Amino acid sequence: MQLVVREASAGPFLSQVLQQALSEQQLSALQLQQIKSKAVLMSLKFADKFYNKYKMHLLEQAAYDVIGITSLGLRALSDGDQQQALQALLSQEGIVKPFQKGWSMLSAVSRKTPGKNSLYGEVDEQLLQQVSSPPDAEDWPGWHAYQQALTEHHRHQAMQLLRQQFYQKQVFDEFEHFSLEEVLAEVVLYRAICSGDKVRQDLKKRLRQINLAEHWFSETYLLLQTEAVLSELPAENAAAIRADLGQHFIPALLRTLQFCRDYQSLQQTDATPEKLDAFEHKHGLQSPLLGWPHYLEL
């Protein structure tokens, strides 16, 4: 099993560390052989669990998986410092601890889809494919792929937290919201209009009776309302949500609030639900109504 890359600055992190150590004579042939032996054994175990260890191409794939997973964990444990990484590899646990770390990292950020099982159990197949790498690859996208998955994991966690904290119902259609911004916007808009109540599917009905104060129609007011929502969340989750929001979030929310006023005016003419829905659809095509609920008022 080869564990060396062509250049010290390219390829999977495990290979980078070994190549650098060899070039600086910090790693003996015996030590390298011991690391390789453990890697081969782990590859056999991985192939036996998830593939077929008696088929050469699957055994090779298992080796690539072990290299990628170990690289991920090794980089995390060493914070990208190759000297620390080398010491971890030369410890009694060798590559076992970095592999376990990498596997737990992948497991933590893998989305569990009901009714769809991954070949790798708790780890997403596509994510592992991105992390997996031959030892001599010129480029290793594994760390970047993990960072993207981690960001998406934080978004999903934040969406769940917002729903648990601010929605009356706790069972949601997975297609009801497509982004973290949409969830936050609906919470902010509903609470701003409905005096801080938990979100229900009754905004359009309640809008008929609400006096929309003039001072609500400002970006400053909506920014304060957004911060009021975030202040009720744990600091790390609030920080993750702030980092995810685009610069157009507040202006888009203001446009939706202005639409609320126009929608209310149409309601007061005793417009039919169909006419109101057509009005909503027309404005939605012109500009997305961020935070506006998507259901037909009956």
Side-chain angles (χ1 to χ4, degrees):
M1 179 181 183
Q2 186 183 2
L3 287 176
V4 181
V5 292
R6 298 168 186 164
E7 298 180 14
S9 60
F13 188 66
L14 173 61
S15 296
Q16 291 182 41
V17 172
L18 295 177
Q19 179 65 23
Q20 183 71 18
L22 286 172
S23 66
E24 296 182 0
Q25 298 184 340
Q26 295 178 319
L27 186 68
S28 68
L30 177 60
Q31 289 171 322
L32 178 61
Q33 185 57 47
Q34 289 173 339
I35 293 172
K36 285 185 175 182
S37 296
K38 286 187 178 180
V40 169
L41 180 60
M42 291 176 64
S43 298
L44 285 168
K45 290 182 177 179
F46 195 89
D48 189 41
K49 183 172 183 178
F50 297 114
Y51 301 128
N52 184 333
K53 66 180 180 181
Y54 299 107
K55 293 188 176 181
M56 185 57 65
H57 71 286
L58 294 178
L59 184 57
E60 183 178 57
Q61 182 59 55
Y64 294 171
D65 294 340
V66 168
I67 290 170
I69 296 167
T70 302
S71 292
L72 187 67
L74 189 63
R75 176 162 176 173
L77 289 171
S78 65
D79 198 25
D81 185 295
Q82 293 198 12
Q83 288 300 315
Q84 290 186 34
L86 179 60
Q87 293 307 309
L89 292 175
L90 294 177
S91 68
Q92 186 175 0
E93 292 178 302
I95 71 169
V96 175
K97 185 175 181 179
F99 176 86
Q100 291 174 338
K101 174 65 175 177
W103 185 261
S104 69
M105 290 166 66
L106 293 175
S107 176
V109 301
S110 292
R111 289 284 298 274
K112 310 301 186 293
T113 304
K116 182 180 179 181
N117 296 323
S118 168
L119 172 64
Y120 307 103
E122 59 198 10
V123 171
D124 180 74
E125 291 182 36
Q126 185 176 359
L127 180 57
L128 182 54
Q129 288 171 5
Q130 293 175 296
V131 169
S132 179
S133 174
D136 57 352
E138 294 184 358
D139 184 40
W140 178 57
W143 183 257
H144 179 65
Y146 167 73
Q147 291 297 324
Q148 287 185 315
L150 181 61
T151 298
E152 186 57 37
H153 175 66
H154 286 158
R155 287 196 189 106
H156 183 67
Q157 275 191 323
M159 285 176 65
Q160 288 184 315
L161 188 59
L162 284 169
R163 287 167 168 171
Q164 292 168 4
Q165 183 88 357
F166 298 110
Y167 281 75
Q168 185 67 33
K169 71 173 185 176
Q170 293 299 312
V171 178
F172 300 93
D173 185 336
E174 63 177 310
F175 299 109
E176 195 167 345
H177 296 107
F178 295 99
S179 72
L180 176 57
E181 277 197 347
E182 287 182 333
V183 178
L184 179 62
E186 185 173 15
V187 171
V188 172
L189 186 69
Y190 192 95
R191 284 165 56 90
I193 293 176
C194 301
S195 304
D197 289 351
K198 285 198 171 186
V199 178
R200 300 171 182 264
Q201 286 195 344
D202 64 353
L203 178 62
K204 298 177 184 180
K205 181 178 180 180
R206 294 181 67 171
L207 194 56
R208 294 175 180 270
Q209 311 300 326
I210 293 174
N211 179 29
L212 299 174
E214 191 59 37
H215 73 274
W216 293 358
F217 294 87
S218 74
E219 292 189 7
T220 300
Y221 176 77
L222 291 173
L223 181 59
L224 290 173
Q225 292 296 312
T226 301
E227 286 301 319
V229 169
L230 296 179
S231 69
E232 296 188 31
L233 302 176
E236 60 181 20
N237 296 103
I241 293 173
R242 288 190 186 94
D244 192 69
L245 294 182
Q247 61 179 337
H248 302 296
F249 177 77
I250 296 298
L253 205 52
L254 179 57
R255 286 194 298 272
T256 303
L257 187 58
Q258 291 165 341
F259 167 78
C260 288
R261 181 161 52 189
D262 296 336
Y263 188 90
Q264 184 187 65
S265 297
L266 186 59
Q267 284 180 317
Q268 292 169 350
T269 67
D270 293 326
T272 64
E274 291 75 18
K275 187 173 182 178
L276 289 168
D277 189 51
F279 180 75
E280 175 186 332
H281 181 69
K282 177 183 176 181
H283 279 262
L285 290 175
Q286 294 172 352
S287 179
L289 298 172
L290 186 65
W292 181 254
H294 301 290
Y295 54 83
L296 179 64
E297 183 191 9
L298 300 175

